[in-house]
Amino acid sequence: MIKIRTNPDKEFVKEFRKKLKNNEGYCPCRVTKSDDTKCMCKEFKEQVERGETGECHCGLYFVTNE
């Protein structure tokens, strides 16, 4: 079973969510603002659909097989 989890580093998550809020929900790691870069980004959603494990581009979310 595939599960999406938040990064276990609570301080990282707290700071990253502040950056997301200040960037209108768009990934602060990306240069452009588009539907594809709105968190959860298109790249990560496609990763989940393919059943691939690992983290999103920014490291906020992880996909695990459990």
Side-chain angles (χ1 to χ4, degrees):
M1 171 186 263
I2 291 178
K3 290 197 178 197
I4 298 172
R5 301 202 182 268
T6 305
N7 189 317
D9 182 340
K10 303 287 186 208
E11 189 61 31
F12 172 81
V13 171
K14 180 180 172 183
E15 291 301 315
F16 193 85
R17 287 194 170 145
K18 283 182 192 177
K19 290 177 184 178
L20 272 174
K21 184 177 180 181
N22 291 336
N23 205 31
E24 302 169 344
Y26 294 97
C27 177
C29 301
R30 305 289 185 157
V31 176
T32 60
K33 290 183 180 179
S34 71
D35 289 343
D36 292 347
T37 62
K38 193 95 169 179
C39 190
M40 295 181 167
C41 68
K42 179 181 177 185
E43 180 182 343
F44 185 66
K45 289 177 185 175
E46 289 173 350
Q47 178 182 337
V48 171
E49 287 174 8
R50 291 189 302 266
E52 295 175 6
T53 58
E55 63 184 44
C56 71
H57 178 79
C58 302
L60 181 61
Y61 296 106
F62 292 86
V63 178
T64 60
N65 283 327
E66 292 185 7

